[in-house]
Amino acid sequence: MQKKLIALAVASLASGAAFAQTNVTMYGVADVGYMYSTGDAGRVGNVGIPGTNTFSGINSGLLAGSRLGFRGEEALGNGLKAVFTLEYSLNLDNNSGVGNTGGLNARQQYVGLSHSGWGTVALGRQYAPGYQASANNDPFGGAVFEPQSFLTAQAGNSITPNSGARWDNAITYTSPNWGGFTGKAIYSFGETSSGGSYNDKLVSVSDNGKWGLGANFAQGAFNVDVVYQQRQHVTNGSLISVPGLTGLFLANGKSVDEVYVGGSFDLKFVKLMASWQGQNDKNAANLDNQSWQVGAVIPVLGSSNIHLGYSQLYWDQGSQWVGGVKVKRPLNDDSQSAALGWTTALSKRTTLYAGYVWVRNDNRSYAAGPVTGVGARGEDNNTVLAGINHKF
């Protein structure tokens, strides 16, 4: 009996030592809330459609996406270490995500090497620079109901604090922090086969590839982000399916370029932020757009904050000649949105939140708003929400 106890103790110590050496951490977010959203059915041309579109229900990941993750590192000597992250989406409202037969729904999953003096190189599904940059300068930290967040996501931009900025088949380099400056570069291989053949002449090394560069400077009260991202030789069917419009917007092998500039300044009694970004689509779809946003976070009552945000998305497709007549392209004009929110930290890990979001669409512009299926062309829609966010 004594020998068995000694053996168990030795095994336990060895296992603990190995676990400490690899330094694995499990973490996550559990976020769920109630939303009510309603708006007119919209317009076709200058004719209004009778009725309203309404949603009432529970949604997961309103303030921050619900997730379960594992990250770790192993010291390899001389300042070098191996690092990895495996992070998966959870939908607390409908039992999808990890544990669902529909798949793991990875937010990010990568492995790499890191050195304190040289930076980090990693391979796998990873965030493009536009993800963190756009979240840095967002009054709601990239929440799905924040105007800049859902407008850029619904416009199909890859510079967004949403899934469009998570890239598969990617290799990244992230620099160390040099006096407040950090940089990131990413390349995502398209891995596109045009004919499904084993003949390697039919496999492109650049079609549907993506690359991006990002720079961040954060020092004291200041934060500034600059990002450039490009989707190369976009092929294979549709570049993007725009909500509210029928048909496919075809890509014909041209690139899509995006640029972003944003910043924030923390005055303690209020944190101010603003950003501008543009997309230049050289494909036949011509999904050119520009968006800008301003926001503020105002601390109140010690552990609470008021969040204010306003953003505008402008579709800049211009006009075209059809049968000798100059007509507007299908997407034009603008969508605008404003949001008012409240957060209260009950502890370092648990936050209560509530918000109101207003969206207005011109006759030739469309934004669904925080709830897909509610927004329509030429209409206003309104959303109220409340929920709880817990980090572990």
Side-chain angles (χ1 to χ4, degrees):
M1 183 65 181
Q2 188 176 9
K3 290 182 179 179
K4 290 182 179 180
L5 290 174
I6 294 173
L8 286 172
V10 171
S12 177
L13 288 171
S15 175
F19 190 80
Q21 185 180 9
T22 54
N23 191 23
V24 178
T25 300
M26 182 177 74
Y27 65 94
V29 175
D31 183 311
V32 68
Y34 169 78
M35 300 184 77
Y36 178 84
S37 185
T38 185
D40 296 335
R43 306 180 71 84
V44 175
N46 294 318
V47 180
I49 303 172
T52 59
N53 299 320
T54 301
F55 171 87
S56 176
I58 302 298
N59 274 345
S60 179
L62 299 182
L63 187 64
S66 298
R67 70 201 73 170
L68 176 65
F70 304 87
R71 68 169 69 95
E73 59 183 46
E74 179 189 16
L76 302 175
N78 298 320
L80 186 67
K81 57 185 178 182
V83 296
F84 76 90
T85 293
L86 305 172
E87 183 179 294
Y88 303 102
S89 176
L90 297 171
N91 289 314
L92 306 186
D93 56 328
N94 63 10
N95 190 36
S96 62
V98 175
N100 181 37
T101 55
L104 290 176
N105 299 318
R107 292 168 57 91
Q108 52 179 336
Q109 45 186 7
Y110 64 83
V111 63
L113 294 174
S114 180
H115 189 280
S116 59
W118 303 337
T120 302
V121 175
L123 296 91
R125 178 172 169 84
Q126 301 175 73
Y127 292 144
Y131 187 99
Q132 191 59 53
S134 53
N136 285 343
N137 307 297
D138 183 317
F140 294 87
V144 294
F145 59 83
E146 198 279 331
Q148 183 264 353
S149 176
F150 66 75
L151 287 177
T152 55
Q154 292 168 15
N157 296 349
S158 72
I159 298 179
T160 179
N162 295 282
S163 293
R166 300 185 184 108
W167 293 359
D168 296 335
N169 311 313
I171 180 170
T172 62
Y173 168 74
T174 305
S175 76
N177 189 314
W178 293 310
F181 171 85
T182 56
K184 184 171 184 176
I186 185 171
Y187 184 79
S188 168
F189 293 87
E191 301 185 8
T192 300
S193 173
S194 58
S197 168
Y198 288 107
N199 182 349
D200 61 4
K201 292 182 180 179
L202 297 178
V203 179
S204 169
V205 296
S206 61
D207 285 356
N208 296 317
K210 308 170 188 176
W211 67 273
L213 297 172
N216 170 263
F217 180 78
Q219 192 73 269
F222 291 95
N223 179 84
V224 178
D225 289 277
V226 179
V227 177
Y228 176 83
Q229 293 178 184
Q230 183 184 84
R231 285 166 276 176
Q232 299 176 298
H233 312 303
V234 181
T235 60
N236 295 344
S238 63
L239 170 63
I240 175 179
S241 176
V242 178
L245 299 179
T246 58
L248 297 176
F249 291 87
L250 294 180
N252 55 341
K254 305 295 185 180
S255 65
V256 180
D257 300 290
E258 295 180 68
V259 63
Y260 171 96
V261 180
S264 65
F265 182 48
D266 193 349
L267 297 170
K268 301 302 180 183
F269 66 92
V270 61
K271 184 176 182 179
L272 302 173
M273 55 205 67
S275 67
W276 174 90
Q277 64 189 92
Q279 174 171 284
N280 180 17
D281 177 11
K282 300 179 179 66
N283 289 273
N286 186 25
L287 297 176
D288 294 349
N289 66 72
Q290 300 179 50
S291 63
W292 60 272
Q293 68 99 14
V294 292
V297 179
I298 305 170
V300 292
L301 304 177
S303 61
S304 299
N305 291 292
I306 296 173
H307 305 255
L308 303 168
Y310 175 84
S311 185
Q312 187 175 59
L313 167 69
Y314 178 68
W315 291 99
D316 188 18
Q317 292 193 303
S319 303
Q320 65 180 157
W321 291 93
V322 178
V325 179
K326 192 175 184 180
V327 298
K328 293 282 189 181
R329 295 292 298 269
L331 286 173
N332 224 312
D333 290 342
D334 66 84
S335 294
Q336 53 186 309
S337 176
L340 168 65
W342 177 282
T343 58
T344 296
L346 301 181
S347 69
K348 290 183 178 180
R349 298 188 298 170
T350 303
T351 301
L352 295 178
Y353 60 89
Y356 164 74
V357 184
W358 166 82
V359 178
R360 181 177 183 179
N361 293 313
D362 285 342
N363 289 344
R364 288 184 297 272
S365 185
Y366 174 88
V371 181
T372 302
V374 171
R377 288 190 185 207
E379 57 87 67
D380 292 9
N381 61 75
N382 299 273
T383 302
V384 292
L385 58 99
I388 182 170
N389 174 288
H390 179 77
K391 301 179 179 66
F392 60 91

